[in-house]
Amino acid sequence: MTSVPTRPAPVSPNPGGSDHPERGLRGLRGLKPLGRMGDRVRLPAQPFLRHLVFFVLGAAFFYVLTTNVSTYNDFQIGEIALYAIVLGGLSLLTGLNGQFSLGHGAFMIIGAYTLALLQLHAHVGIVGELVSATLIAAAAGVIVGIPAARLSAPYLAGVTLMLALALPQLSSQYGSVFGGEQGLTTTPPAGPGSINSQEWLAWIQIFCALLVLLLLANLARSRFGRAFRAVRDDEIAAAISGIHVARTKVLAFAVSAGCAGLGGALLAFSTGVVNNGEFPLSLSIALLAAMVIGGAGSFVGVWWGAVALVYMSTWSGSLSHQFSLGTSAAAYLSDAIFGVVLIVAILAAPTGIQGGIRWIGRRAWRGLVGTPLQTAATTALVALAPASSTETGEPLGHRVIPLDGPPADDGGSRCRSAPAGGDDRVSGDDSVSGDDRISGDDRVSGDDRASGDDRAGGTHGETSTVRPDPEHEHDPEHEHEHEHEHEHEERSTP
Amino acid sequence: MLRVDGLTVRYGPVQALSDVSFDARDGVITTVLGANGAGKTTLLRTLSGLVRSTAGRVSFDGVPITGRDPETISRMGIAHIPEGRGVISELTVDENLRLGTLHRLRRAERRGAMEEIYERFPQLGERRNRSASTLSGGERQILVIGRALVSRPRLLLLDEPSLGLAPLVTAQIMATIEELTSGAGLSAILVEQNARGALSVAHWAVVLNLGRVVIADEPSRLGADAELRRHYLGF
């Protein structure tokens, strides 16, 4: 068999890149992860570079945000950031690796107490404190993860639930060490110079969140990420491929627990005190719910989950005030609202808010295909594409863009800044993969190679009209198309 | 190459394999035949470590592998291709193949090994960035075989690779297996219901019935024995 004429490294632009045709909303049992934490690279940019772009954009966004809001809002943004860390870890565990934890609050407790005890007894500086909190929580994650690797989901939920219930009792039991009911106090880090200490703390929390999510996104793209997903999907298939299933699960648990520990430590800075009241069982459950609301397996979705987590209690507080409910009712209102939101989220968008946004974005874009509006937008994108070739991937929440449209008027869109163009192009990709999804599904049910190919060909035709941008020579889709052709030639020769 | 000696497997009270002994020689295809429930799948699952044996020994190149983890056995170069596919459907074709390269190959060799597979199975190359869930049954089977081969194994354990596939695809798979074993130091144990097809490619055949070895002989002689054919092979 002759080799397929090699185009310039057909795969390497897209290492492990996926085009996961079966995305979009799934059925209820789906509660399945989006399945691709940033595992979709359409442009030759290295994933690391792409994630770095997020990091920088996120940092810039938060810098602008924090310097323009009140101190109390800074506090809230900091909390959102630290919950994003915890949710990122949980998302890796559940979304990527398919393990459930109802006890992530316990790992937050470990991180928080580690920080408080270090501040009390040793002076290792903030970096040392945070790193220790992360590592000790990760070690606890290993201890929990080893038995967890042998348990299936319901039993694992039970074990982790027990952890969340039992661990807080330790601090009452050993009051002399852990400060009993009052707990321990912590000192938030002092900012350099005249920087508002609340703002400084928020920056630290945001920096940690962006850094951790950067690392998690890279981990998800690495061979470990593939192993996580393989184990989630089919343990037997993973094992006979040579993946050490138990070790992989423990690793996921450790990473996830480490994230929770770091989040807990950062929370201890925010609250200034560490005691059991800070980490009720409901926190562990709310974390899981927030992760699902954001979109299991999505590192962008964790921000939605974190926002929900932080603002839900604020909103429910004002709501109960509005309806003059008693204090006891007010206390439970946020849990009740959270439950309702969770149910709605699962019904309306089983892949979470992030999945829903992607879906809406794709639908909106597809609705535009063929209209003058869309043609104009495409033209604009082509014009902008070279300028924005590094702007790839899925920026925080920018998937929404197709909603308000690929720009309504040609002139306007040409005036758009380069990054916006980049985003739009990404959403253009979305529409393509959306179409792919259809043909892919058809092919599965029809099981008809020939017509499947035809259909794929049709899709490609559409693709090139949709997106005749200069990037497309790197587009894996097109690569296939070409190989495909070669193949037909080859097949006809014998 | 692979020596199975007195292998016995019980599922609770059910004796799935009793005292099974045979050798799979180097560079040849050994086929294991038998009716439903004869213990063929259990045999392969035991060899790859997915099922623990109750008694008996298995050694691979003289190294005992009885009771080892599936991942360890896989890393030693025994690639199990389970019945009913076993692709990881959440991953793309490319990612599925990469899983196979992880443990047996050096970093520099991985890409080349994958390209070899794409050349051998062009239909995988076309689909490399698609989710494995979109593949047809035949493509899935080919992907799993590709994932096994990409690790450059020494021994393939194939569990009914023709199950539910079109005759044409089956023929392609059989031809591939034959070609592979005739070339570079690869052996295969092929479990099949389709006895006629299996006997035509195999060099040695073992017939199981109710967990016991009925006969082990050369395929041509098994095929010639009308009694045996009627009773155990169904043709």
Side-chain angles (χ1 to χ4, degrees):
Chain A
M1 205 173 290
T2 54
S3 72
V4 173
T6 43
R7 298 166 50 75
V11 201
S12 51
N14 192 2
S18 102
D19 121 318
H20 264 276
E22 51 146 5
R23 268 175 292 117
L25 303 185
R26 307 182 193 209
L28 256 184
R29 64 177 277 278
L31 244 199
K32 275 215 180 164
L34 299 176
R36 19 172 244 105
M37 305 207 182
D39 61 344
R40 150 192 158 102
V41 181
R42 297 198 168 266
L43 301 180
Q46 287 295 311
F48 180 74
L49 208 63
R50 203 168 59 96
H51 297 149
L52 208 61
V53 169
F54 280 123
F55 181 88
V56 173
L57 287 181
F61 169 76
F62 279 114
Y63 177 77
V64 173
L65 192 65
T66 48
T67 46
N68 284 298
V69 296
S70 69
T71 307
Y72 180 65
N73 285 333
D74 281 340
F75 172 81
Q76 283 184 320
I77 291 167
E79 281 209 320
I80 289 172
L82 73 90
Y83 281 120
I85 298 176
V86 182
L87 294 179
L90 199 56
S91 203
L92 178 110
L93 184 71
T94 308
L96 232 61
N97 197 222
Q99 300 191 79
F100 282 88
S101 169
L102 277 174
H104 254 47
F107 298 114
M108 292 183 70
I109 297 179
I110 292 172
Y113 272 104
T114 304
L115 178 100
L117 288 170
L118 279 175
Q119 285 202 333
L120 203 61
H121 301 294
H123 300 282
V124 290
I126 178 167
V127 175
E129 287 160 10
L130 292 178
V131 170
S132 311
T134 309
L135 292 181
I136 288 178
V142 171
I143 294 169
V144 178
I146 288 172
R150 298 181 177 277
L151 297 174
S152 58
Y155 303 101
L156 179 54
V159 167
T160 49
L161 183 66
M162 184 202 73
L163 184 72
L165 281 170
L167 201 70
Q169 302 309 318
L170 280 181
S171 63
S172 323
Q173 194 70 33
Y174 301 98
S176 55
V177 183
F178 298 109
E181 294 298 319
Q182 277 72 45
L184 302 168
T185 54
T186 59
T187 323
S194 63
I195 292 175
N196 179 336
S197 69
Q198 198 56 254
E199 201 165 284
W200 178 245
L201 176 61
W203 285 350
I204 289 173
Q205 289 164 332
I206 290 164
F207 174 77
C208 289
L210 291 171
L211 185 68
V212 166
L213 290 174
L214 175 75
L215 295 176
L216 289 181
N218 285 320
L219 184 71
R221 293 285 322 232
S222 72
R223 63 197 184 91
F224 294 108
R226 278 197 301 279
F228 288 157
R229 283 182 287 155
V231 165
R232 175 197 69 200
D233 222 33
D234 188 337
E235 288 189 14
I236 288 179
I240 61 180
S241 305
I243 292 171
H244 202 299
V245 173
R247 231 177 273 168
T248 304
K249 286 178 146 186
V250 173
L251 178 69
F253 224 105
V255 171
S256 181
C259 292
L262 178 60
L266 291 170
L267 183 62
F269 276 142
S270 279
T271 53
V273 61
V274 182
N275 61 40
N276 291 334
E278 296 289 324
F279 304 96
L281 179 63
S282 59
L283 174 67
S284 292
I285 293 166
L287 285 172
L288 194 63
M291 189 267 296
V292 171
I293 289 172
S298 162
F299 289 131
V300 180
V302 297
W303 291 99
W304 304 120
V307 168
L309 209 53
V310 170
Y311 277 94
M312 207 67 82
S313 59
T314 317
W315 289 333
S316 68
S318 57
L319 204 65
S320 61
H321 187 71
Q322 197 101 31
F323 294 105
S324 12
L325 296 172
T327 41
S328 59
Y332 292 109
L333 192 62
S334 84
D335 289 344
I337 292 177
F338 217 72
V340 171
V341 170
L342 182 64
I343 292 169
V344 171
I346 290 174
L347 285 177
T351 47
I353 294 179
Q354 190 56 27
I357 288 172
R358 286 180 192 162
W359 183 75
I360 291 169
R362 274 198 302 275
R363 287 294 290 261
W365 180 261
R366 220 180 303 162
L368 290 170
V369 168
T371 62
L373 199 68
Q374 190 265 335
T375 320
T378 312
T379 324
L381 294 183
V382 174
L384 287 167
S388 58
S389 56
T390 53
E391 290 290 334
T392 71
E394 30 195 341
L396 307 167
H398 285 182
R399 299 261 156 193
V400 205
I401 284 174
L403 265 184
D404 29 19
D409 58 7
D410 195 76
S413 62
R414 278 180 190 282
C415 297
R416 282 183 148 217
S417 63
D423 296 344
D424 272 358
R425 204 178 53 251
V426 170
S427 51
D429 284 352
D430 260 358
S431 82
V432 172
S433 58
D435 291 340
D436 279 354
R437 184 165 57 84
I438 289 168
S439 65
D441 288 349
D442 278 353
R443 205 172 310 125
V444 170
S445 54
D447 217 294
D448 180 342
R449 283 281 315 279
S451 72
D453 288 348
D454 280 347
R455 230 171 275 128
T459 313
H460 281 297
E462 207 175 317
T463 310
S464 33
T465 55
V466 170
R467 209 164 39 104
D469 70 49
E471 300 288 346
H472 88 204
E473 61 177 304
H474 298 294
D475 183 348
E477 301 281 340
H478 281 269
E479 308 272 3
H480 294 226
E481 194 56 7
H482 284 286
E483 281 166 26
H484 204 145
E485 283 158 22
H486 287 305
E487 235 160 87
H488 281 304
E489 286 162 21
E490 266 180 61
R491 277 188 202 153
S492 52
T493 39
Chain B
M1 150 140 267
L2 187 84
R3 168 160 296 205
V4 180
D5 192 14
L7 198 64
T8 300
V9 175
R10 265 179 232 274
Y11 295 124
V14 181
Q15 184 111 355
L17 290 179
S18 19
D19 197 20
V20 170
S21 303
F22 69 94
D23 280 350
R25 278 174 294 133
D26 226 332
V28 304
I29 301 177
T30 306
T31 184
V32 178
L33 304 171
N36 284 328
K40 304 184 301 287
T41 297
T42 299
L43 174 64
L44 288 199
R45 288 172 64 87
T46 312
L47 296 182
S48 69
L50 292 169
V51 170
R52 292 274 156 124
S53 56
T54 319
R57 279 189 308 276
V58 182
S59 62
F60 180 57
D61 279 342
V63 183
I65 57 167
T66 327
R68 299 222 182 168
D69 291 336
E71 46 270 15
T72 313
I73 292 175
S74 155
R75 289 176 196 202
M76 290 172 77
I78 298 182
H80 184 183
I81 298 168
E83 184 183 0
R85 326 304 173 227
V87 296
I88 294 176
S89 54
E90 293 281 327
L91 298 185
T92 62
V93 169
D94 202 69
E95 288 171 322
N96 264 285
L97 283 185
R98 278 173 176 230
L99 285 179
T101 64
L102 267 188
H103 302 290
R104 299 250 309 145
L105 300 183
R106 276 193 294 275
R107 192 171 281 273
E109 294 173 332
R110 289 181 193 159
R111 185 44 67 185
M114 287 179 61
E115 288 306 322
E116 269 175 37
I117 298 295
Y118 285 135
E119 269 176 41
R120 183 176 288 282
F121 304 113
Q123 57 271 63
L124 294 184
E126 289 164 26
R127 306 257 186 281
R128 64 173 77 181
N129 290 312
R130 291 191 182 247
S131 160
S133 61
T134 66
L135 300 184
S136 73
E139 288 165 341
R140 283 175 188 227
Q141 185 66 60
I142 288 167
L143 175 56
V144 179
I145 291 176
R147 194 181 66 204
L149 291 178
V150 80
S151 65
R152 306 211 164 120
R154 310 259 333 278
L155 175 68
L156 280 182
L157 306 177
L158 292 137
D159 198 351
E160 303 214 21
S162 69
L163 187 77
L165 297 184
L168 208 63
V169 183
T170 309
Q172 191 202 353
I173 288 173
M174 289 292 181
T176 307
I177 296 166
E178 206 173 4
E179 184 198 326
L180 286 169
T181 46
S182 65
L186 179 71
S187 320
I189 295 180
L190 173 65
V191 158
E192 264 299 336
Q193 291 270 9
N194 172 8
R196 202 189 290 267
L199 288 176
S200 71
V201 294
H203 305 84
W204 190 253
V206 178
V207 180
L208 288 183
N209 189 39
L210 300 175
R212 290 178 187 278
V213 177
V214 177
I215 192 167
D217 208 338
E218 302 214 337
S220 56
R221 271 187 274 172
L222 283 187
D225 186 337
E227 187 86 342
L228 191 79
R229 268 186 5 206
R230 197 159 50 81
H231 274 109
Y232 299 114
L233 307 180
F235 72 96

